[in-house]
Amino acid sequence: MTFSAGAVNAWGFLSLGGVFTSVVTANSALIGIGLGGADPTLGGLAAVAVLCYVLGAAGAGAAGHPRRGGRPHRTDFLLLELLLLWAVVGWWLAVDGDPSGGERTAMLGTVAAAMGCQNAGVRLAMGAQMPTAYLTGLLTGAVTDAVTARRIQWRVLGTTTLLILGAGAASLLERLLPGAAPLLPALLVTAAWLTVHARTGARRAS
């Protein structure tokens, strides 16, 4: 999931207008830049990304909420996320990787919603200490622990590395096979969804 988040952010930045799909802090600063008049277009795209990220997070929260007193479905967000990502893949292929300005903005909003869905869903399913696409707080805590408690959080280093590798992989695909770049995160999230369902089925069988 972290690898896919890196891939989505890199592809979104390179192909959908120069803003991020899940880095709300950076996008919020870009909105301010737009409001200040330096680059209104960029600020508008960042605002779309933030708004759609919020909607995606809300969707994941709704998907994971218990229904009528039943058990929470905390992995349903994966299905919602992969549907959003595959919708963008199909759209990207349909326009042969050359969307109009409006289509590009709509694609940006869709993948930003997918990232909001992922972050909120992972929080529900795995807890607040396991983010996959926003690492500032996680890295800050790891550095603080390393200094104060002399404890290295290898999981944080691994998560950061995976995000970087995902972004690098998407950037490489964007250069070599531009049409295939959005396929990478969609395939990874689909693999995560299949893994969850395979394990759920195995537990029920036992």
Side-chain angles (χ1 to χ4, degrees), residues 101-183:
E103 289 174 324
R104 198 178 299 272
T105 301
M107 289 182 188
L108 172 66
T110 304
V111 291
M115 286 295 94
C117 181
Q118 176 174 313
N119 280 335
V122 167
R123 183 184 180 91
L124 284 172
M126 304 176 68
Q129 298 305 313
M130 294 291 289
T132 58
Y134 55 99
L135 303 179
T136 303
L138 196 68
L139 187 60
T140 301
V143 172
T144 302
D145 282 352
V147 173
T148 60
R150 302 295 190 269
R151 180 179 60 193
I152 297 177
Q153 295 190 28
W154 296 105
R155 176 178 56 81
V156 174
L157 296 178
T159 299
T160 304
T161 300
L162 284 170
L163 190 77
I164 293 171
L165 291 176
S171 299
L172 185 62
L173 275 176
E174 179 63 22
R175 284 196 303 110
L176 301 179
L177 295 169
L183 276 167

Side-chain angles (χ1 to χ4, degrees), residues 23-151:
V23 188
V24 174
T25 303
N27 285 341
S28 297
L30 292 177
I31 293 171
I33 289 172
L35 290 174
D39 195 334
T41 299
L42 188 64
L45 288 173
V48 168
V50 171
L51 174 61
C52 291
Y53 179 93
V54 170
L55 293 175
H65 193 273
R67 297 176 181 84
R68 295 183 181 179
R71 298 180 62 185
H73 298 264
R74 292 185 174 176
T75 57
D76 283 0
F77 76 93
L78 283 171
L79 179 59
L80 177 58
E81 182 184 1
L82 70 87
L83 289 174
L84 290 170
L85 291 176
W86 279 112
V88 170
V89 169
W91 197 350
W92 184 258
L93 294 176
V95 298
D96 199 25
D98 188 24
S100 66
E103 289 174 324
R104 198 178 299 272
T105 301
M107 289 182 188
L108 172 66
T110 304
V111 291
M115 286 295 94
C117 181
Q118 176 174 313
N119 280 335
V122 167
R123 183 184 180 91
L124 284 172
M126 304 176 68
Q129 298 305 313
M130 294 291 289
T132 58
Y134 55 99
L135 303 179
T136 303
L138 196 68
L139 187 60
T140 301
V143 172
T144 302
D145 282 352
V147 173
T148 60
R150 302 295 190 269
R151 180 179 60 193

